[in-house]
Amino acid sequence: MGPVAFVLGGGGVLGAVQVGMLRALFRAGHRPDVVVGTSIGAVNGALVAADPTEAVTDRLVRLWASPEAAEVYGDSLARQLRRFAARTHLHSPLPLRRLLSAELGADATFADLKVPFRCCAASIERAAEHWFDDGPLVDAVLASSSVPGLLPPKEIAGEHFVDGGIVNSIPIGEAVRVGAKLIFVLQVGRIERPLSVPRRPWEVAQVAFEIARRHRFARELASLPDDVSVHVLPTGGGETRDDLPWAYRDMAAAGRRISRAYTATRRYLAANDVLPAPGDGS
């Protein structure tokens, strides 16, 4: 079959579904040869690249339920407003840095990982997609997950980066580019839901971003080489509040999302007879 890639897309707290998908994949015998991630997919993906075994899913379940994870977007409304009035973001990046440093090691580099890992960020100065695959790991993941308005841009070597989801939310094309032949797409569920005309002010930007996100994903799926197989894993369904403006702070549903995605992905793999080829993912 050839090299196996796990592609973890962006999506904030909805990224909890990726933990359930990962557990189903590992239990079915699939192992990644490369991990590609954007935004929350870079956070989850870095941990998978550091420990590409089923054990990492137990670690991720604990992490998603931890006070440290809740603290990332846990500031009070008053503190958020004070920060936003003086700066361009609502939250401090320090809680996320502390979480990543504790889980990956403050001085970890890409070279320390068990399998190759690549994460995407958007360069402000170059208005371009940028892929990190070497050097300090925590800084790269911070750059990939710096959601504009929520977290400040991450400066690296004089260049400023923001969330990779802006330029490449579900980066299957990058997995193809680095040679993957079997690709598992761990998306967060937004592409499963139909879009409708916005009715509220905050829905206008959401719908516009979804059109851009889905257009690129559909274009990359349509242009896959004949020798590449892609499986877009299911989330098991979402919740009506997932698209509300404050949903990014809602960590309470993480356990339900993990469980639903695990069950749905396990059923998908069985129904589609997706079995690992001998030697794949080793």
Side-chain angles (χ1 to χ4, degrees):
M1 179 67 71
V4 177
F6 287 5
V7 174
L8 291 84
V13 295
L14 302 182
V17 301
Q18 295 172 346
V19 182
M21 295 170 177
L22 287 164
R23 178 166 284 174
L25 284 169
F26 284 123
R27 288 185 177 176
H30 297 284
R31 299 290 185 272
D33 295 299
V34 61
V35 178
V36 179
T38 293
S39 195
I40 189 61
V43 176
N44 289 334
L47 269 74
V48 172
D51 180 14
T53 70
E54 186 184 341
V56 76
T57 63
D58 295 328
R59 186 175 173 189
L60 282 165
V61 167
R62 290 193 296 270
L63 181 60
W64 273 89
S66 69
E68 291 79 8
E71 188 184 358
V72 172
Y73 293 134
D75 279 342
S76 67
L77 179 59
R79 182 174 293 180
Q80 291 178 58
L81 293 176
R82 286 197 300 270
R83 183 178 289 115
F84 196 69
R87 300 184 178 91
T88 60
H89 54 279
L90 292 172
H91 299 280
S92 167
L94 294 180
L96 181 55
R97 174 175 283 281
R98 286 195 294 266
L99 181 152
L100 292 171
S101 296
E103 294 296 326
L104 298 168
D107 299 319
T109 69
F110 283 78
D112 297 322
L113 299 173
K114 299 289 181 60
V115 298
F117 170 64
R118 306 175 64 80
C119 64
C120 178
S123 165
I124 292 178
E125 286 85 357
R126 291 184 289 114
E129 179 177 319
H130 180 86
W131 284 92
F132 292 97
D133 63 356
D134 62 7
L137 182 60
V138 170
D139 282 353
V141 176
L142 279 171
S144 182
S145 50
S146 291
V147 182
L150 298 184
L151 295 171
K154 176 60 184 170
E155 182 178 356
I156 298 176
E159 190 170 0
H160 296 82
F161 297 94
V162 292
D163 194 289
I166 294 172
V167 288
N168 201 342
S169 185
I170 310 175
I172 56 173
E174 184 68 9
V176 173
R177 195 187 71 79
V178 298
K181 299 301 181 184
L182 174 60
I183 300 173
F184 292 103
V185 178
L186 289 75
Q187 50 86 34
V188 303
R190 291 196 176 107
I191 62 172
E192 297 172 344
R193 300 198 293 276
L195 285 180
S196 57
V197 176
R199 294 177 298 166
R200 302 173 181 87
W202 63 81
E203 292 175 346
V204 175
Q206 287 178 336
V207 170
F209 183 58
E210 277 303 307
I211 292 171
R213 178 209 308 265
R214 297 183 193 194
H215 171 73
R216 174 159 188 175
F217 180 60
R219 187 179 63 193
E220 291 193 345
L221 276 179
S223 62
L224 288 172
D226 292 338
D227 61 344
V228 173
S229 177
V230 173
H231 293 277
V232 180
L233 302 180
T235 64
E239 301 181 11
T240 56
R241 58 185 176 179
D242 286 348
D243 291 321
L244 294 174
W246 51 86
Y248 78 93
R249 291 165 58 92
D250 180 16
M251 300 295 292
R256 295 194 301 274
R257 291 179 178 128
I258 292 170
S259 179
R260 284 197 303 262
Y262 169 72
T263 300
T265 298
R266 183 185 61 186
R267 289 172 177 168
Y268 171 89
L269 295 173
N272 290 276
D273 198 25
V274 186
L275 300 174
D280 278 1
S282 59

